[in-house]
Amino acid sequence: MTWNMLLQHAKPPKRLIMSPPREAIKWCEYHTTLIVEVDTKVRQVQKTSSELQRTCEEQRNRILSLESVNAVLQIEVESLQSQHMALLVTAVNEKSYSNSRYQNKR
């Protein structure tokens, strides 16, 4: 039931004022039931909304944590790349030195 429908039925009809008490009681019981149903649904939506907000916050924190880890790993990769280049330069220099000594001995 939509809010408009609920509001439309919330006002007691004029005929209800002149009707027997039993009919007025039925009308009140029916609308009390509707109000309880709407209240229950509102509480469920609020609970779901709170759970979604909590989940979003947890995911946001996890993303921030992963971004931090990624930054640290990126620094490590750059460091290893520098070390690799230094080792390559050293190896090339040693090879050149070794080759030049070999050629000098001939």
Side-chain angles (χ1 to χ4, degrees):
M1 175 164 278
T2 65
W3 280 107
N4 288 337
M5 291 171 62
L6 184 63
L7 292 173
Q8 184 180 23
H9 291 287
K11 288 184 182 176
K14 289 182 181 174
R15 66 173 176 74
L16 192 63
I17 296 169
M18 301 299 209
S19 63
R22 187 175 294 164
E23 190 174 325
I25 290 170
K26 282 183 184 178
W27 186 90
C28 288
E29 287 173 347
Y30 172 74
H31 285 87
T32 300
T33 302
L34 286 179
I35 290 168
V36 169
E37 287 176 10
V38 168
D39 185 58
T40 301
K41 288 181 182 178
V42 166
R43 289 174 195 268
Q44 287 172 346
V45 167
Q46 289 172 337
K47 182 181 175 188
T48 302
S49 175
S50 295
E51 290 171 355
L52 286 172
Q53 286 175 341
R54 192 175 335 104
T55 300
C56 286
E57 188 62 32
E58 289 170 359
Q59 292 299 321
R60 188 177 299 116
N61 290 340
R62 187 159 190 257
I63 287 169
L64 291 174
S65 175
L66 289 172
E67 286 174 346
S68 297
V69 168
N70 188 39
V72 169
L73 290 175
Q74 188 64 36
I75 291 168
E76 286 293 321
V77 165
E78 290 170 4
S79 173
L80 288 172
Q81 287 173 335
S82 296
Q83 290 174 18
H84 180 250
M85 280 304 256
L87 288 172
L88 284 175
V89 168
T90 302
V92 167
N93 287 341
E94 287 179 2
K95 180 76 171 168
S96 295
Y97 179 73
S98 177
N99 283 345
S100 66
R101 283 188 62 194
Y102 176 74
Q103 288 178 356
N104 287 341
K105 285 185 177 181
R106 284 174 142 194

